[in-house]
Amino acid sequence: MDLKQIGEFGLIDLLKKDTIHDPTTVVTGIGDDAAVLLASPRQLQLLTTDMMVEDVHFSLKTTTPWQLGYKSVAVNISDIAAMGGIPRHAVIAIAIPPHINVEFITALYEGMKEICHEHGVNIVGGDTVSSPGGLIINVALLGEVEPTYLLKRSEAQIGDLVVVTGTLGNSGAGLELLSRGNWEEYDFAWPLVTAHLTPRPQVKAGRALAVAGASSADDISDGLASEVNEIAAASKVGMRIYADRIPLADALKEAAAVVGKPAVNFALYGGEDYQLLFTISPARYSAALAGEAGIALTVVGEVVAPEEGIRLIGADGASSRLIPGGYNHFR
Ligand code: ADP
Ligand code: MG
């Protein structure tokens, strides 16, 4: 159905069903000039936003609208997870070009509502406008964290371990396979493509690390190399990362062999994994591990004095400067 047939307000009416998962914190959701929310007492409020632009962040040739909706909320939830927080309320603005129909937007919202449902996030408002060019989706997300659990980038301490959740590089390899077009020929491709199109934000892990007393955290949106540099710069420390300790999935190794690139490069420079990178003292780390066996954690390095810089140590012991290599919009 063409959007002209139902108009802006008809569309908003369609979208507003099933948007509230935690009614106890919403006084007014979609339907007034602003959402009215009940904040929890003694919690810090976290507020983040991320924009997705057609042909910059996604291609409609390789994503379904459902996957696009899921991911556009996932990347925001990931930022809340990296602060040790719990995601609560989202507002969603969309600029819709003429080539997009009602069914597309409905499917986009189904994907958004699915991940919001998984994390108990309410969609409490937004904005709907027309776009002369590409599709643009902007999600703003409000979260909460107890002051003692807040995870900043700037508190890494010399002597801490550098740890990551999950495996890294899958999303970057998935993107490479998607852009080659023939990924369905490879039986290892599915988990990689899925990691790219519908990333899973690590809220549970973020909470567990916060409770265990991690000193700093960042979500891995631009590749491990970039995030390591972010934490090191914010905390004014050096870091040593051991290349052969970076957790890589078997599927990634198979894909890397096919495309002829080192698997570890996808982890270091690929981006969009939305796993967490964090630092924690060795004493607290063992305690955290014992309590949270369900979360995959890998120690990839250690925090060192700032004079040592940010180093990547190869399997042969050779050390080189670890230079951020993720995507940069204006370069
Ligand atoms: P206003 O003109 O007062 O800003 P709108 O007519 O734009 O209000 O929106 C009406 C209601 O619908 C508001 O509550 C707004 O937050 C909500 N809304 C508009 N677009 C969206 C959207 N894409 N997703 C979710 N809620 C939306
Ligand atoms: Mg108004």
Side-chain angles (χ1 to χ4, degrees):
M1 199 199 314
D2 201 300
L3 275 160
K4 285 197 193 95
Q5 285 177 255
I6 61 169
E8 178 190 334
F9 300 108
L11 181 66
I12 295 170
D13 256 354
L14 271 185
L15 302 179
K16 72 180 180 201
K17 289 185 203 83
D18 304 320
T19 48
I20 305 299
H21 298 108
D22 178 10
T24 62
T25 56
V26 181
V27 180
T28 306
I30 294 173
D32 212 319
D33 296 311
V36 185
L37 309 169
L38 204 63
S40 308
R42 290 179 296 280
Q43 300 270 306
L44 298 174
Q45 302 289 305
L46 304 168
L47 182 55
T48 184
T49 186
D50 255 307
M51 187 182 284
M52 305 259 281
V53 176
E54 184 177 348
D55 294 331
V56 177
H57 300 93
F58 61 90
S59 162
L60 294 181
K61 294 191 189 78
T62 56
T63 182
T64 67
W66 192 98
Q67 290 166 330
L68 180 60
Y70 190 98
K71 182 170 182 174
S72 57
V73 176
V75 301
N76 283 277
I77 293 181
S78 179
D79 280 322
I80 299 293
M83 303 301 289
I86 298 174
R88 295 283 191 212
H89 309 285
V91 289
I92 298 166
I94 44 177
I96 310 174
H99 63 87
I100 299 269
N101 63 17
V102 173
E103 288 74 19
F104 183 105
I105 300 294
T106 312
L108 180 83
Y109 266 70
E110 287 306 315
M112 291 172 167
K113 288 171 187 176
E114 168 57 29
I115 188 165
C116 285
H117 175 72
E118 288 170 18
H119 292 275
V121 169
N122 303 308
I123 299 172
V124 294
D127 200 17
T128 307
V129 299
S130 60
S131 162
L135 173 66
I136 301 174
I137 303 164
N138 187 77
V139 177
L141 182 63
L142 195 60
E144 291 183 333
V145 64
E146 299 79 351
T148 48
Y149 291 164
L150 177 66
L151 293 176
K152 301 203 283 188
R153 289 183 185 177
S154 54
E155 305 288 325
Q157 307 295 321
I158 295 169
D160 281 353
L161 303 173
V162 179
V163 189
V164 297
T165 62
T167 57
L168 304 183
N170 293 6
S171 175
L175 175 60
E176 174 113 13
L177 293 171
L178 281 167
S179 51
R180 287 173 163 235
N182 63 339
W183 64 270
E184 282 168 86
E185 291 169 24
Y186 302 111
D187 54 6
F188 55 77
W190 178 246
L192 306 175
V193 164
T194 303
H196 181 72
L197 294 176
T198 51
R200 303 295 166 129
Q202 300 297 307
V203 177
K204 225 184 101 195
R207 290 297 288 173
L209 308 170
V211 173
S215 51
S216 73
D218 197 356
D219 65 327
I220 305 179
S221 52
D222 295 323
L224 182 63
S226 177
E227 313 304 345
V228 161
N229 275 272
E230 296 280 355
I231 290 188
S235 299
K236 301 186 175 65
V237 294
M239 290 219 187
R240 217 181 280 155
I241 303 296
Y242 298 93
D244 59 354
R245 293 191 197 166
I246 298 171
L248 306 175
D250 289 338
L252 170 64
K253 292 177 191 164
E254 289 185 65
V258 166
V259 304
K261 290 183 187 170
V264 74
N265 281 23
F266 288 103
L268 287 169
Y269 311 113
E272 294 207 287
D273 282 312
Y274 299 105
Q275 296 291 335
L276 298 177
L277 164 70
F278 63 99
T279 59
I280 187 168
S281 72
R284 286 182 173 156
Y285 181 65
S286 11
L289 246 195
E292 290 293 336
I295 297 164
L297 302 175
T298 308
V299 178
V300 296
E302 61 238 2
V303 180
V304 295
E307 302 74 45
E308 284 200 43
I310 298 148
R311 313 292 299 179
L312 183 69
I313 318 292
D316 56 0
S319 148
S320 56
R321 232 183 96 201
L322 181 55
I323 295 161
Y327 189 77
N328 182 316
H329 281 271
F330 301 108
R331 286 209 176 139

